[in-house]
Amino acid sequence: MWIKPPADIPPSEITPAEIYRGRRRFMVTAGALALASGLGQARAGTLLSSLRNPTYSVDEELTSRKDVTGYNNFYEFGTEKDDPARNAHTLRTRPWTLRVDGLVRRPGTWDIDRLLRLAPMEERIYRLRCVEGWSMVIPWQGYPLDVLIRAVEPLGSARYVAFTTLADAAQMPGVTRRVLDWPYREGLRLDEARHPLTLLTFGLYGELLPNQNGAPVRVVVPWKYGFKSAKSLVRISFTEREPPTSWGRAAPREYGFYSNVNPGVDHPRWSQARERRIGEFFKRPTLMFNGYAEQVAALYSGMDLRRFY
Ligand SMILES: Nc1nc2c(c(=O)[nH]1)N[C@H]1C(S)=C(S)[C@@H](COP(=O)(O)O)O[C@H]1N2
Ligand SMILES: [Mo]
């Protein structure tokens, strides 16, 4: 089965996932993938067919797959950059469910393979800027979070979404250390969550997400610092009030709820004016909203971004 391209993508832009690797391999479409995962075989390395969405992709050199999957922040598996790649093999990503609840007309529990098939997989090449001062360019596979939001029908009173990620000490050695208040929690304003750039993400480099990158499902919010992009989601709740976040609770002066990439607002302990693109030597200037200002600035018109950092 081949997934029909979304109507706004010209066929000339369709790029199969195999371009990433020289090896010839079998394509696994979403249908076959569901079958494989039913048999307990879905794992990192399983190909995920997708269609490049050029409207939401940047034309910049990709960060190597080795760096994307080897230099990570995923504190549930340790605080060193190479800890997640070394330790995350213990994460079991099947079976897996995502609970969607709170202020919605259709709360429910989504099996990961049903969630995978909810919409056509798109490939989007996004910049990711970590609050620590490094950045990457990553080809993700996913579809807009708004597809799921529409499916669950938020009530008029819903103003925020709260993300909760897995915290299981049996699978995640870092959870036994109290570096953060587990489970890892994040949140977005509802209009941010519904923005077409906000991606519910299942893969990278044309394959199911490696565990260290947040398998089996994470969110990617490219105009915000990386920590807003919560990994290994188990619950999405719709709320009326701004939800608490793990980093906000750990250090409220340093990590605000918005955490938009902003070269003009420094972290209290370091400048955010420049960044090191992983794989490059010289630093480059950090762009307002990580370079996505044209698409997202309107979300914050009239807001003082020094106060709402
Ligand atoms: N559950 C969870 N999600 C998380 C983190 C984490 O420690 N735990 N780290 C965040 C940070 S600080 C960054 S920069 C990105 C890194 O994503 P990547 O490793 O896939 O590049 O994941 C974010 N999501
Ligand atoms: Mo980060």
Side-chain angles (χ1 to χ4, degrees):
M1 185 186 88
W2 182 253
I3 298 167
K4 237 173 90 210
D8 58 339
I9 302 177
S12 60
E13 298 293 343
I14 294 170
T15 316
E18 303 102 303
I19 57 166
Y20 294 118
R21 295 240 182 134
R23 289 196 277 143
R24 264 215 284 147
R25 286 187 298 178
F26 295 107
M27 286 290 285
V28 178
T29 61
L33 178 68
L35 186 71
S37 60
L39 302 169
Q41 291 164 354
R43 54 185 166 79
T46 302
L47 281 178
L48 203 50
S49 61
S50 61
L51 307 170
R52 168 90 47 92
N53 185 331
T55 307
Y56 295 111
S57 291
V58 297
D59 187 15
E60 289 174 29
E61 195 180 329
L62 300 182
T63 303
S64 74
R65 189 182 186 287
K66 186 165 175 286
D67 285 335
V68 169
T69 61
Y71 189 90
N72 303 100
N73 274 336
F74 198 167
Y75 277 17
E76 289 87 334
F77 293 101
T79 52
E80 299 299 317
K81 299 291 178 243
D82 56 353
D83 281 343
R86 270 192 300 119
N87 297 332
H89 59 92
T90 51
L91 178 66
R92 290 189 314 270
T93 60
R94 293 295 188 289
W96 188 282
T97 56
L98 176 71
R99 172 94 196 134
V100 184
D101 60 11
L103 302 172
V104 293
R105 213 157 278 128
R106 300 179 177 279
T109 299
W110 291 72
D111 181 80
I112 186 64
D113 294 306
R114 186 169 150 238
L115 197 61
L116 258 161
R117 291 192 308 267
L118 184 61
M121 280 293 152
E122 292 178 27
E123 172 171 274
R124 296 180 173 203
I125 299 171
Y126 281 170
R127 300 182 200 93
L128 182 137
R129 168 62 155 80
C130 180
V131 72
E132 294 162 44
W134 47 268
S135 64
M136 298 192 186
V137 177
I138 303 174
W140 302 107
Q141 278 74 45
Y143 55 74
L145 177 61
D146 192 43
V147 171
L148 177 61
I149 294 178
R150 275 188 270 120
V152 300
E153 299 178 23
L155 302 176
S157 51
R159 290 188 57 220
Y160 295 89
V161 291
F163 303 105
T164 308
T165 83
L166 185 71
D168 178 3
Q171 306 177 56
M172 302 171 132
V175 167
T176 55
R177 294 177 51 205
R178 304 188 57 179
V179 284
L180 282 175
D181 179 18
W182 310 112
Y184 192 97
R185 278 178 295 169
E186 257 308 334
L188 295 170
R189 222 170 52 193
L190 185 59
D191 59 342
E192 298 177 317
R194 305 197 78 156
H195 190 281
L197 277 169
T198 302
L199 197 69
L200 193 64
T201 305
F202 301 88
L204 63 77
Y205 264 105
E207 300 178 353
L208 286 185
L209 283 170
N211 290 352
Q212 60 268 35
N213 295 94
V217 61
R218 68 177 295 177
V219 70
V220 178
V221 191
W223 71 95
K224 293 176 180 282
Y225 290 118
F227 65 86
K228 299 294 288 183
S229 293
K231 295 175 168 182
S232 303
L233 297 171
V234 293
R235 185 175 176 199
I236 302 179
S237 278
F238 291 70
T239 65
E240 198 167 343
R241 303 265 211 91
E242 185 183 287
T245 68
S246 292
W247 282 107
R249 290 174 63 121
R253 281 195 57 251
E254 303 190 8
Y255 308 107
F257 181 78
Y258 285 92
S259 289
N260 294 313
V261 174
N262 187 341
V265 176
D266 289 337
H267 186 280
R269 291 185 281 132
W270 59 81
S271 166
Q272 293 291 24
R274 298 192 309 148
E275 67 197 55
R276 190 182 308 285
R277 184 65 54 84
I278 297 295
E280 294 180 356
F281 182 75
F282 292 107
K283 287 190 177 178
R284 50 167 77 210
T286 285
L287 304 174
M288 187 62 198
F289 296 116
N290 204 23
Y292 298 95
E294 208 179 296
Q295 291 106 307
V296 303
L299 291 170
Y300 311 105
S301 61
M303 277 175 70
D304 177 357
L305 296 180
R306 296 199 151 270
R307 184 160 163 236
F308 298 101
Y309 56 88

